[in-house]
Amino acid sequence: MSHQHRVLIVGAGPCGLMTACELRRRGIDAAVVDAAEKPQRGSRAILLWPPSLRLYRDLGILPEAERRGVTIRALSYYLGPGRTLRVPLPPAMAPLVLPQEVTDELLGAELERLGGSVEWGAALSSLAAAGDEVRVELRRAGGTIEPRRVDWLIGADGFRSTTRDALGIEFAGERLPTTFLLAEGDLTGDYDREAVNYYLSRTGVVLVAPLPGGKVRISGPLPEGSEVTGDTAQRMLDERAPGGLRLTNLTLNTSFTSHERIAARLRVGRCFLVGDAAHTHSVVGGQGLNLGFGDARNLAWKLAGVLDGRLDPKILDSYDVERRAAAEQVVRVTGRMARQAVLSPFAAWMRNTLFSTAHRLGVLARKLPPLYAGWSIRYPQTLFGPSPGARAGFLPPAGAHSPEWTIGGGLHGANGANGANGANGANGANGANGPNEKDRFELVTIGPADTSERAEAAAFADRHGALVSHRHVVAGKQGFLLLRPDGFVAASGRRGDLRWLADEFATLAVSTKETHR
Ligand SMILES: Cc1cc2nc3c(=O)[nH]c(=O)nc-3n(C[C@H](O)[C@H](O)[C@H](O)COP(=O)(O)OP(=O)(O)OC[C@H]3O[C@@H](n4cnc5c(N)ncnc54)[C@H](O)[C@@H]3O)c2cc1C
């Protein structure tokens, strides 16, 4: 039985590939196997929201993705003749449209650049946890069974996950009743080519999204009793959009249904679930990759921190709690969106009236972009006990994403969408130079230039140099934020709470360089 890799990732879809890249760029030996003989083709997940694009940026594949994709600048809502609302998307909220097969290609190439590869035609057929290792069997083409032993296993094997089944994890939920048509082709006529266009007519809903190369994707509830044909797609446009849109040269015409399901556990010992293996939801809103890539990032910095001996293994428990909470939020939001697509004419009229009012009051522009972009995801407080002194309106609560917060005019998205991790190492005394230097927490103190808290925080960062950097923002109010490597707020407090933080943090940090197999 061979024992070759520390981490085995089952499934080379986008979430498996992203997890592999995230681990390998942190120096972790991660192998990937996939049951299929070659990569899947097809556009499937086309929307990449900013939290996902941040991962592309960190991997260095964002420029190529942008070259091959189309940036969406607005959400456009047609509510009836002469009533179209346009919600602009600022850069930190704007998604990139990129067919999933291109995402797979870019991530696959990056994985190879990082020294990894995918073993195609190797299907996980069984697994068993045994002490501090996981024993698996891989079935090769022709039926040969190959046993393997690994330290950790990550199931990224999609909706019908063998990993999930082998771990005996329930995948509770339901199938959504609506069947959606999905077509791609050329579209002529008047529509916003820089927006995702939602046509919310009283007779039904249809979506038009631009694709790279000038084609579009059309999607909406399939009219009852209709076949999936080009005529049906055209009829949906004629009946639900303002008219004058002509769909030709179809390259795809299919239908799909969605499920709303979340795995009962995302971690069993040394095995984890990511991506569709962990959760699935309505594709309305295009959140699938955002959610799965969020799993990859959440798990990678924690597992790498444990494997290189900086973090206590108990941090891995937070993966399940945090990512199940994220999945619940996405299931809820996308479920609501999906249900709004199948309303009676009267309920549709009510929906559109509410939309108009919300737009007039500025609520749509304020609420929708961060919700779609994925910046509204909140985690329960998992790493430490409740922060003692966070005050609403001044400091963000633990579990919030940091890019939304601007404090004292000086803290702009540190570790966030546009932050480029610029503050890491701001405290020159922190000497972490390993591959995981970017994975440090960032302690931001806020207050006058010279305070005892500032000195206390600098000393704290020095004590945990491999895990924490420190930055001070001069401002009238006083407090601190501890930002996690993935951009979420780990803790926040007021003047005098730093001692509490030091005690809490000590339970997470491994001070000696012992390694965990
Ligand atoms: C029509 C459609 C449109 C969609 N549109 C969007 C969208 O606009 N935006 C969005 O974000 N999401 C969208 N999605 C969802 C998106 O495609 C999924 O969320 C995404 O593919 C999940 O990626 P994954 O890596 O978790 O799983 P998958 O892509 O399903 O990959 C799983 C991999 O595991 C492999 N595998 C399975 N079993 C085994 C085994 N036993 N051993 C080894 N390997 C195995 C499979 O061969 C496969 O390669 C859409 C989905 C559909 C169907």
Side-chain angles (χ1 to χ4, degrees), residues 240-314:
R240 302 175 188 181
L245 295 175
R246 183 99 207 114
L247 183 64
T248 54
N249 302 325
L250 291 188
T251 47
L252 176 74
N253 198 9
T254 184
S255 66
F256 65 90
T257 51
S258 303
H259 292 244
E260 287 182 340
R261 295 178 191 276
I262 301 176
R265 295 174 71 184
L266 303 189
R267 177 192 181 194
V268 177
R270 290 172 166 258
C271 304
F272 300 86
L273 298 176
V274 300
D276 277 14
H279 35 62
T280 185
H281 50 81
S282 163
V283 298
V284 178
Q287 297 294 317
L289 290 190
N290 230 17
L291 188 58
F293 287 172
D295 297 342
R297 164 133 299 181
N298 189 300
L299 184 54
W301 70 265
K302 292 173 184 172
L303 189 54
V306 170
L307 291 179
D308 69 19
R310 295 178 308 144
L311 288 170
D312 190 286
K314 79 170 189 199

Side-chain angles (χ1 to χ4, degrees), residues 108-280:
E110 182 58 17
L111 179 62
E112 288 189 10
R113 202 191 62 75
L114 290 164
S117 61
V118 178
E119 289 176 59
W120 296 103
L124 177 83
S125 56
S126 76
L127 75 84
D132 56 4
E133 66 180 17
V134 184
R135 295 180 183 195
V136 301
E137 287 188 329
L138 301 176
R139 196 179 48 251
R140 300 282 186 175
T144 328
I145 298 288
E146 181 192 319
R148 247 187 233 191
R149 296 186 334 216
V150 293
D151 294 334
W152 304 85
L153 183 128
I154 299 173
D157 43 353
F159 180 68
R160 295 195 166 74
S161 170
T162 305
T163 309
R164 195 183 58 231
D165 289 347
L167 292 169
I169 298 174
E170 197 189 350
F171 200 34
E174 60 180 16
R175 181 175 174 274
L176 295 172
T178 311
T179 300
F180 280 75
L181 177 134
L182 187 126
E184 291 177 1
D186 294 324
L187 190 70
T188 54
D190 187 19
Y191 68 99
D192 191 335
R193 287 167 168 77
E194 291 195 327
V196 176
N197 300 266
Y198 297 89
Y199 297 101
L200 309 178
S201 92
R202 284 212 235 164
T203 48
V205 169
V206 67
L207 163 149
V208 173
L211 293 173
K215 291 198 179 293
V216 295
R217 171 179 283 192
I218 312 275
S219 188
L222 186 67
E224 237 173 84
S226 301
E227 299 288 318
V228 179
T229 64
D231 285 348
T232 305
Q234 182 60 51
R235 185 155 60 84
M236 284 166 59
L237 286 171
D238 293 342
E239 289 175 359
R240 302 175 188 181
L245 295 175
R246 183 99 207 114
L247 183 64
T248 54
N249 302 325
L250 291 188
T251 47
L252 176 74
N253 198 9
T254 184
S255 66
F256 65 90
T257 51
S258 303
H259 292 244
E260 287 182 340
R261 295 178 191 276
I262 301 176
R265 295 174 71 184
L266 303 189
R267 177 192 181 194
V268 177
R270 290 172 166 258
C271 304
F272 300 86
L273 298 176
V274 300
D276 277 14
H279 35 62
T280 185

Side-chain angles (χ1 to χ4, degrees), residues 407-410 445-450 454 471-477:
I407 292 168
T445 45
I446 304 140
D450 248 342
R454 182 178 184 171
R471 178 157 70 102
H472 187 76
V473 175
V474 177
K477 295 178 174 174

Side-chain angles (χ1 to χ4, degrees), residues 7 42 62 67 103 150 174 210 324 329 350:
V7 182
L62 184 58
R67 198 182 65 74
T103 276
V150 293
E174 60 180 16
R324 278 171 44 77
Q329 290 163 55
M350 290 279 288

